[in-house]
Each structure stands twice: as C-alpha cells, then as structure tokens.
Amino acid sequence: MSRVHETDVYFDPYDVDINADPYPAYARLRDEAPIYHNDRYDFWALSRHHDVERGLVNWQTFSNTRSDILDIIRADVDLPPGVIMFEDPPLHGMHRGLMSRVFTPRAMAALEDQVRQFCIGILDPLVGAERFDVITELASVMPMRVIGMLLGIPEDDQIAVREKTDSDLRTRPGEPMQVKQGKVASGDMFADYIDWRAEHPSDDLMTRLLNAEFEDEHGDTRTLTRQEVLTYTAVIAGAGNETTGRLIGWLVKLLAEHPDQRRHVVEDRSLIPNVIDEALRFEPTGHATARIVTEDVEYHGTTVPAGSPMLMLIGAANRDPRRYRDPDVFDIHRNDIQHLTFGWGVHHCLGASLARLEGRVALDELLNRFPEWDVDHDDIQLAPTSTVRGWQRMPIVIP
C-alpha cells in the first residue's frame, strides 16, 4: 500500500471538540489528506466533493451491505433483511420500489395540510412569549407526529416511539454508539401495534405495508413477513425523526445569525425552498455516511484495501471550494446550491421530499408569528450523537 499524504491533521467523528466545529478539520482534510486514515478506529475518509459524489454513485466498490453507519460496520453485527440503507442492487431496488409507493409526491402533498395544522397548534399558544426552546416545543415533536400520521401510530404512543428512536442514536460524549446484536432496526417496540393494525386495517402506511404485494428476489409474488414489516417501520420511524428535527433547529439558528436574509424570506416566502437546501448544504444533519470497500481502490496515490470501512464526509464535500463559490458563506440566493446531504445515486434518501415539506411548513408558520428572533447562545446544547449533528436545546428570544 502506498501512502503519500504526510500530515498531522486528525479527524475523529466521536471527538467532542471537533464536532463542535468540524469545518476547520474538513478544510485541512480536503487540502492535506483528501484520502485519510484514522488509525485509532481503523476507517478511511474522503472529503472532496468530486470524490464523495463519485463514491456515493459507485455502489459496486463502496457497498452498503454492512450498514451506512460506521459504528454498526465496526460492531460487525448481523443486520436484518429489508433495510434499504443496508442493501445494494438488485435487492435494494426491489425493497426501494416497495417503499417508493409510500413516499410519492401525491402522498407527501396530501400530508401538508395535516402538518400545517399541527404546527399551528404548537405555535399559536407561544405567541406573546418572550422566549421558548424551539427544539423542545417544535423540532423534537413535529417529525414524529408526521411519521405517526404516515404510520397511523396513535398520538399517545408517539412520545415513547420518539424517545426510543432518539436513544438508539445517542452516544456518550467522545464514544462510539453502543451497537447490540439483534437490536439494529429490530422494530420490537412496534410488534403489538402491528398485530393490532393487521386486525384493524386503515388508510395508513402500516396497512399498506401489511398488504402490499411484490416480487421478491426469488421471483415469487408475496406480501411482507411480519418481521419485514417490523423492520420497515423501525427504519421509517428512526430515519424520519432524528434528521428532520435537526434540520428545523439549523433553520432557526442560521436565520437568527443572518437577519438580513431572514427579512428577505419574511417578505418573499418563495425563497423558503432555497433556505431549506442552503441550510442542508451549509449545516447538513448527517455529516458522513459509511460504506465498506469491496475491492482495493486508489485515491490520490494511496491504496485503500478491500474490506475497509470508508466514511464519505458529506459535511466536508458540501463546503468544498472546488465545487462551490464562497462555500463557508450561508447564502440563500446562491445558484450553486445543490448538495449531497440526501445522498446521491441509488441510495438517495427516499424521505427527502418529506423532510423538505416539514422544514418548509415549520419555517413558514414560524415566520407567520415570529418574523424576528435571537438564539440564546449561552444556553444551547448540541445533541450527543456521532451520526446526526444538531441541537438538543435551543432557546430563542423574541424581541
């Protein structure tokens, strides 16, 4: 193996100080070690936009079959079948096709009125308040409520689901996530509900999953097994909850720090989609996605051996000056806003349209009531997780 990048740059996804502001480390990685190896945790990392984009497309070399989370890859546990993030074609295409029946543009549009009414119900009682925690009051509760709408989970049960999915992604500061055999996307907490829904069908995602017919990898036409429904439900609940909540937090923080741009959005709501995507580029909710290397591959004069875990550093790629004009500037008017936060290629996030819808509605309803706000920077706190970067607490002050 050749190694050509001699540098003292250090990157560690579990390091609390790096996570507080990872962008200086990303800049050094892009310039000094575009292919990087972490000896402590034995993973490789790509940081330049071109390399990350091409790597995400190349599923033959960078496989999802051991998970897209570094902690799970390193734990080397058995993974349940049917998790599209843990599969490659052709199996991935089969399961993705089944899921895509749920996340259609028509289905997402039908949700908007419900999402908006939920936001209104949360925000109206806060009008007149001098301050409130936007994470506690809105960002942490809205995504699971929307997932509950999709799945048909009773509102009384949604708090427990949210707490369970959040806790699964929590880490102790400075440490990897604890991954236990048989607990990845198990869906155990949904077992009683799925049994009940099988006996009481309704017009919701759960009923559709229980009854959907598809052709499996053996060419047989069948419905999902009970365990497959459990797995699908766990994946939808987990992926849709944590990431969207973090997006809402970043929208609030970034617009507080750029009040001139916030005024533009107050006056012209057609800018909101730009705000959403620029926030996703500038402060992605997920800073990295992991793959397993299936064959020896060379980058920048360095050979990465087959079997190695590889981190695609989306947070670094999204701010690569080789790709973006003034990448470290938050600019809702930029014309090079396309980002890698939702992935690229066959594994592009199925829930991207739902996340954008939730972010758009939440921001619109916030601006309807609070055209100005400041963040209490002395009382904010990052969430303790290495997988999704965002805020656990963010009090805002209303002038």
Side-chain angles (χ1 to χ4, degrees), residues 235-379:
V235 169
I236 293 168
N241 179 46
E242 184 84 359
T243 52
T244 306
R246 302 304 169 217
L247 167 61
I248 294 170
W250 282 117
L251 290 170
V252 170
K253 186 172 186 291
L254 288 168
L255 288 180
E257 294 169 347
H258 299 83
D260 54 336
Q261 297 189 56
R262 182 176 59 200
R263 282 192 294 272
H264 293 170
V265 186
V266 170
E267 295 166 1
D268 181 2
R269 301 302 172 87
S270 71
L271 290 170
I272 288 180
N274 285 34
V275 178
I276 302 296
D277 277 298
E278 176 64 348
L280 287 164
R281 182 198 70 82
F282 192 77
E283 290 287 6
T285 51
H287 274 233
T289 186
R291 301 289 190 268
I292 199 74
V293 179
T294 61
E295 59 186 1
D296 290 0
V297 62
E298 184 174 310
Y299 276 92
H300 305 285
T302 297
T303 301
V304 179
S308 300
M310 175 70 78
L311 273 186
M312 305 289 180
L313 295 179
I314 290 168
N318 278 352
R319 292 208 193 182
D320 189 348
R322 299 162 187 81
R323 168 62 177 80
Y324 300 98
R325 166 185 49 83
D326 299 325
D328 292 319
V329 174
F330 178 75
D331 179 7
I332 65 173
H333 300 288
R334 68 168 57 247
N335 56 18
D336 56 347
I337 206 168
Q338 192 178 67
H339 54 78
L340 298 177
T341 301
F342 288 131
W344 205 250
V346 299
H347 288 288
H348 184 268
C349 177
L350 261 177
S353 59
L354 179 59
R356 285 189 172 101
L357 183 153
E358 291 183 60
R360 174 170 56 81
V361 172
L363 180 55
D364 192 32
E365 293 300 333
L366 271 168
L367 293 171
N368 283 342
R369 292 156 183 79
F370 312 105
E372 296 181 7
W373 64 80
D374 294 310
V375 169
D376 182 354
H377 288 90
D378 293 331
D379 197 24

Side-chain angles (χ1 to χ4, degrees), residues 57-134:
V57 171
N58 184 6
W59 58 266
Q60 294 92 338
T61 301
F62 301 102
S63 172
N64 273 61
T65 53
R66 291 263 302 278
S67 172
D68 61 350
I69 297 175
L70 177 63
D71 309 62
I72 297 177
I73 291 176
R74 293 183 62 249
D76 196 26
V77 296
D78 296 330
L79 300 176
V83 182
I84 60 175
M85 293 96 77
F86 303 166
E87 296 175 335
D88 291 329
L91 195 61
H92 171 270
M94 180 191 73
H95 288 135
R96 186 181 180 92
L98 184 60
M99 291 291 286
S100 66
R101 302 180 197 177
V102 174
F103 291 97
T104 63
R106 181 178 178 181
M108 297 304 98
L111 271 178
E112 179 163 344
D113 285 345
Q114 297 179 65
V115 174
R116 192 171 296 276
Q117 288 306 312
F118 181 70
C119 279
I120 290 170
I122 287 178
L123 296 174
D124 273 355
L126 298 173
V127 173
E130 296 181 353
R131 60 182 285 140
F132 60 89
D133 187 335
V134 74

Side-chain angles (χ1 to χ4, degrees), residues 176-226:
M177 182 169 58
Q178 298 298 310
V179 181
K180 298 179 180 179
Q181 185 69 259
K183 294 299 182 181
V184 177
S186 70
D188 290 347
M189 69 180 303
F190 299 104
D192 291 343
Y193 175 67
I194 288 174
D195 291 342
W196 180 84
R197 181 55 77 194
E199 297 296 324
H200 302 82
S202 180
D203 182 24
D204 58 35
L205 170 58
M206 187 76 73
T207 302
R208 275 173 269 170
L209 285 177
L210 285 165
N211 295 298
E213 290 190 346
F214 67 102
E215 185 176 298
D216 67 15
E217 66 272 30
H218 305 296
D220 297 326
T221 299
R222 65 177 179 88
T223 58
L224 291 170
T225 66
R226 180 176 180 275

